Structure formats: C-alpha cells, structure tokens
Amino acid sequence: MSRPTRRNVIGAGAAATVGAVAAAVPTSAPAQSGGKAAWKLSRAVAGSRDAVTGPLDEMAKDVASLTGDSFRLTISEAAEQDATTVVAQVGKAEIAAALVDPAAAFADAPAAAILGGAPFGLNARLHAAWLADRRGLALINEVLGQRGLMAIPCGATGAAMGGWFQAEVTGADGFNGLKIAISGLGAGVMRRLGAEPVALAPKDIPAAFAAGQIGAAVWGQPYDDESLRLYQSASVLHYPGWWNGAGQLALIVNKAAYDALTEAQRTALTTAAAAANAKILARYDSQNPAALRRAVASGARLQPYGEAMLDACFAAARAEMDAIAAKDGAFKEVLASMNAMRRDGYLWMQLAETTFDTYMMIQQRKQTL
C-alpha cells in the first residue's frame, strides 16, 4: 500500500471561514461596553502541549493588536475539568470561549465531534479545505448553534502516530480485550474491534500503565508524548494513527458573545485564530521528527500496522460511522459532506502530492537529501 503523505501546513486563511448559524441565544454574555470587549478563554488542553499554548498566547496578542486594544482575551487553563464541562460553561456564558479537542468535547454530539477529525477521514490539509470551502464548518455550526455555540478552527495538529502499546498487535484480533486510553469517534471503532476504551486525562496515562489499568494509549503527537515519557510505559509505537488524520482543535465560542462583537473584532478573532491554526501545525511538523528520534533512542520500537490489519480497522470504522448516521440525521449530513471531500481530495492527492512526497521519501531513505 502507498505510504502516507507528508502533512502540509495549512494556509493562514484556509480554516478561518465561519459559517452562518441559527443560534439559541443564552440569556447572558461576557462583558462588552462602549465598543470594547473582554473575554475569558479557557484552554481545555494539557498545559504541557507548548506547541499549542504558545500560538494561542500569540493569538490573544494579535487580537488586541488588530483591534487597537478594544478586544482583549484572557486565557486560563481549564485545570482538571474535562472538555465537556468547559464547553458547558461556554454555553452558559460563564466564559466566552474555550480551546478544545472537539472529538473529546462532544461525545454526545458526534456531528460536532467530527470537527476534530474522523477515523480514516481527512488529513489536516484536506480537512481544512472541507471546513472552509465545502461547507463543512457551516454544517457543524448549524449543529452547535442549537446550543448557542459556534466553532472557529484554531490548531491543526495533523495525523499522529498509532498509539503506545505494551505488546505488539499483529492482527485485528489483537485488540480483543485490550484496555486502551482513547477518546473521540475512534473509541467506538476500537470497541467494535474488541478493545475496551478507557477515558483518561493525559497526565493520568503513565500511572494507569504502571497500575496495569491499560495496555495501550493514544494521546498526541510524538512531541506531546515526550512530555509524558510514554516510551517508559510502553515500548511499542504503532503507526499510523488511523482514528484521526486531521487532529483539529477549535475555539468553541458563545454565539451571543460573538454576535455582540463589532465586525472588526470578529474579523480580528477569526484572522488570529487562522494564524494560530497554521502555527500549531507548523510547530508539530517541525518538532515531531526530533522527538521521534529521541523516543527511538530511548527504546521505543516503531511498528507499522499491516495492510490487512488496516483493512479490518477501516471496515470497523465504516460500520461505526454508518451506525451513528442511521440514528443521527445531523451526523449523516456532515459525514456525507466529509466523505465527498475524501473521495475528491484523495483522487487529487494521489496524482500530485503523494507522488511527489513518495519520491522525496525514497530520496530520504537513500540519504540523498
């Protein structure tokens, strides 16, 4: 089978388009007076992910600069609260916005969760194209609007590795009975494969490994995994991370608060978020190679999933997505839109991007670069 393509940095404007939503407006909204706005923004991702936190802090500075200091964002970490709780706070206007992983934040709303990426879905570049140019974001915001929310893409991380395992999985039946830390739509696929998904905060993963509570874990990029020293807990690093090829983070925003902004303030917010989106993916693409080398030097063993195993996972993923779509009309519509982009996008990429990337990877293996 073809090797996966290199991830490409999303253009700063590619993920900035925000679709119109039919909002259920909350009864209160964050403070704004005299054309000035002050928002509290909660960062519901682990503070150790400096590839995310740095660009987010820069985003706040950009918003203030672009608006002549009429719009200020105060960013705080969401401490021990999970993403679902933080999103509820946004809906109640207790805070104006939160940076979350949609896949984890909307377990009860798969049509919104797909904003974060889907098993065997789109890579980061195609996901950005779908959101911005194929009405993907507009469809998702229709769903979120029913909760008085809207989403702004803010932090593509790209496809990750395929998880840390204490024992190599050599076939799809190797997932049977395996307790694995994983969230999002991929958890349902793992369940179909016989695994037992376990919801864990990233910081709790090493202790869960040590206590024998899990035998495998999926979290972030190699650069993220290094902060938890996951190579000390599980030595086998499978790849690719088929449960999410995009890794899209998003600002989940109180719609009433957004509507109360001036047009210039709204433009500043979406522009700064798009810049952060590109910076975060660039940071991961820049830092992951060295982090992966360090993991291997520390004893990690890289193992690809074989094509037969990926075929079994693909079939399970398709069954899971179809089952959700059969019960959820909004998810069905969003999934159909994403799948149309998937068919077109990979038709194009196999002719241009993948052919070029594959040749360059051959040269990399020949050590001619």
Side-chain angles (χ1 to χ4, degrees), residues 98-307:
L99 181 72
V100 303
D101 173 2
F106 295 105
D108 62 336
I114 208 169
L115 169 61
F120 294 101
L122 302 167
N123 65 19
R125 180 167 166 174
L126 292 179
H127 197 76
W130 171 59
L131 292 175
D133 205 51
R134 290 289 190 96
R135 295 195 69 249
L137 186 60
L139 292 173
I140 291 165
N141 273 336
E142 289 176 5
V143 175
L144 291 177
Q146 298 171 14
R147 301 182 178 204
L149 303 171
M150 61 177 287
I152 301 174
C154 187
T157 67
M161 297 293 281
W164 293 90
F165 292 73
Q166 291 183 324
E168 181 180 347
V169 178
T170 57
D173 57 356
F175 288 119
N176 286 330
L178 176 68
K179 293 183 179 180
I180 180 170
I182 185 172
S183 61
L185 294 168
V189 182
M190 278 292 181
R191 193 173 289 109
R192 283 182 178 271
L193 291 166
E196 182 181 335
V198 179
L200 287 173
K203 68 178 182 61
D204 295 329
I205 291 175
F209 268 125
Q213 296 169 348
I214 57 173
V218 175
W219 180 39
Q221 302 288 324
Y223 187 57
D224 298 323
D225 294 344
E226 189 174 36
S227 67
L228 297 180
R229 293 181 174 82
L230 292 184
Y231 53 81
Q232 295 179 352
S233 300
S235 62
V236 179
L237 182 56
H238 278 296
Y239 65 92
W242 50 262
W243 37 78
N244 190 334
Q248 181 67 61
L249 305 177
L251 290 179
I252 302 302
V253 178
N254 180 285
K255 184 63 168 56
Y258 181 82
D259 287 342
L261 297 174
T262 66
E263 182 177 353
Q265 289 166 342
R266 290 194 292 267
T267 299
L269 178 63
T270 55
T271 299
N277 199 63
K279 289 175 184 177
I280 289 170
L281 185 57
R283 179 70 173 167
Y284 279 117
D285 280 341
S286 173
Q287 296 300 319
N288 277 336
L292 195 57
R293 289 190 185 100
R294 289 191 292 268
V296 171
S298 298
R301 183 160 56 93
L302 305 182
Q303 288 292 331
Y305 290 121
E307 185 168 1

Side-chain angles (χ1 to χ4, degrees), residues 309-331:
M309 185 171 183
L310 286 173
D311 285 346
C313 295
F314 182 88
R318 186 168 185 171
E320 178 70 8
M321 299 299 101
D322 288 348
I324 297 173
K327 299 181 292 184
D328 187 327
F331 181 81

